[in-house]
Amino acid sequence: MKEHFLSFAAAILLAVPAFSQGSDALPFTRVDRNPVTSAFAGGGAAHNGTAAYSAFSGAAMLPFYIGSMDAGLSFQRWAPGFAPSSNFSIGAAWKFLPKMGVSLGYTLENEAPYEVFPAPGEPSGTFYPKNHVVAFGAGFGLGERFSIGLNVRYAREVVMVNRIYGGVAADLFGAFQPFPALRITAGLANLGTNVTSGNHSSSQPASVLAAADWSPALAPDHVLHVMADLNVYLAGDYSATAALEYSWAQMLFVRAGYRLASETCVIPSHLALGLGVRFAGFRADLSYLTASPIIGNTLNIGLGYSF
């Protein structure tokens, strides 16, 4: 199985020169809606602690999720000091076989309203831009250690009454778990259709992603996850993320992550902090982004239930 995974990862990396990308279209599709992984600064692609929002990311982790069902609802106040938006997301995953699962997700993003002026000095009202993302994911286990995952989503951006853009994108990932404490995943993220505006066509912010999650053995009630993610965008940008999660008795979670990104990357460099509590299947999670003039003070709060 290890040889199969390495072949898959090599094929993904060799595919990079075959694609090109202009300015990013529908950039909001790369915003992390998950209140857990957003505390990893958008990393944690190989983390299997939650599955509710896996329709928005690599569904290859679904076969390694330890539960059967996971659902979540989140509110995100994105970039309040720069380009504020209020985002509501809902997601659910169902692992109906030991090595097979599906997930669904929806996001409504409300951007800052603005006055409409059909003629100079004559405002006709206020327009409220809205973005929508509908996502589906499926993960399939191949033996005990290998899995593949596919995500498909449709994004729609309503900039003005007569200016609406949309596009379809997909993620294709493979994952390898050589032993229970280590998971590795790699694949293509957000590879989709071009979006046309007038005579200009832009592609969506696609990337090649590789990630690892290592859980060194500690005391039974103390679990540590050490995570690293690398994104190489097809437009030439990059991001690297390092993150930690400490949990006590699977009830209390403390999270942190830092993302280092190139200057024009769709999601900039930032620091993320987070907390989570879980009891009797119910959970509450919070993440806070800082150390960025663009997305600093972003807050994400979520509630969920799993079994």
Side-chain angles (χ1 to χ4, degrees):
M1 284 299 179
K2 183 176 181 180
E3 291 78 7
H4 292 315
F5 177 78
L6 293 175
S7 298
F8 176 86
I12 290 297
L13 291 172
L14 289 172
V16 175
F19 300 93
S20 62
Q21 182 177 3
S23 58
D24 293 329
L26 310 176
F28 58 89
T29 57
R30 296 307 298 256
V31 174
D32 193 341
R33 316 294 180 178
N34 187 340
V36 173
T37 54
S38 59
F40 304 146
H47 185 266
N48 72 334
T50 61
Y53 300 92
S54 58
F56 297 107
S57 57
M61 285 298 107
L62 273 172
F64 298 117
Y65 177 62
I66 58 176
S68 297
M69 192 279 289
D70 191 18
L73 174 69
S74 69
F75 169 76
Q76 181 184 58
R77 183 61 174 165
W78 176 260
F82 185 78
S85 65
S86 298
N87 311 327
F88 298 89
S89 299
I90 186 169
W94 178 33
K95 188 177 173 183
F96 55 90
L97 290 175
K99 286 294 180 178
M100 188 176 298
V102 294
S103 57
L104 294 170
Y106 170 72
T107 289
L108 169 63
E109 183 174 283
N110 299 289
E111 296 186 355
Y114 60 86
E115 293 294 325
V116 178
F117 291 83
E122 298 180 10
S124 63
T126 303
F127 185 75
Y128 296 85
K130 295 182 184 296
N131 304 324
H132 305 265
V133 182
V134 180
F136 169 79
F140 308 90
L142 303 175
E144 294 297 319
R145 298 183 178 182
F146 186 71
S147 72
I148 58 173
L150 174 67
N151 297 85
V152 179
R153 60 187 158 272
Y154 172 73
R156 186 170 184 261
E157 182 177 21
V158 184
V159 181
M160 300 175 64
V161 174
N162 58 348
R163 187 175 295 179
I164 300 173
Y165 306 110
V168 177
D171 309 322
L172 177 62
F173 279 83
F176 178 56
Q177 182 171 280
F179 48 90
L182 178 65
R183 283 176 305 280
I184 302 168
T185 185
L188 284 169
N190 209 59
L191 186 65
T193 58
N194 283 3
V195 178
T196 301
S197 174
N199 295 323
H200 180 70
S201 180
S202 299
S203 38
Q204 300 183 50
S207 69
V208 175
L209 186 152
D213 182 330
W214 176 51
S215 310
L218 299 176
D221 285 340
H222 303 271
V223 177
L224 179 67
H225 287 263
V226 182
M227 292 159 279
D229 294 59
L230 175 64
N231 267 294
V232 179
Y233 288 83
L234 306 190
D237 290 307
Y238 72 87
S239 69
T241 302
L244 296 171
E245 178 187 66
Y246 165 77
S247 64
W248 174 77
Q250 292 297 304
M251 295 175 61
L252 176 64
F253 300 81
V254 180
R255 307 175 177 114
Y258 184 77
R259 175 186 177 96
L260 177 66
S262 55
E263 186 175 353
T264 58
C265 191
V266 61
I267 304 295
S269 300
H270 64 277
L271 173 69
L273 305 170
L275 294 172
V277 293
R278 182 182 299 170
F279 182 74
F282 294 93
R283 69 175 184 276
D285 297 288
L286 177 148
S287 71
Y288 175 74
L289 310 186
T290 185
S292 168
I294 297 176
I295 61 173
N297 297 319
T298 291
L299 188 66
N300 198 351
I301 302 171
L303 299 174
Y305 179 73
S306 60
F307 61 82

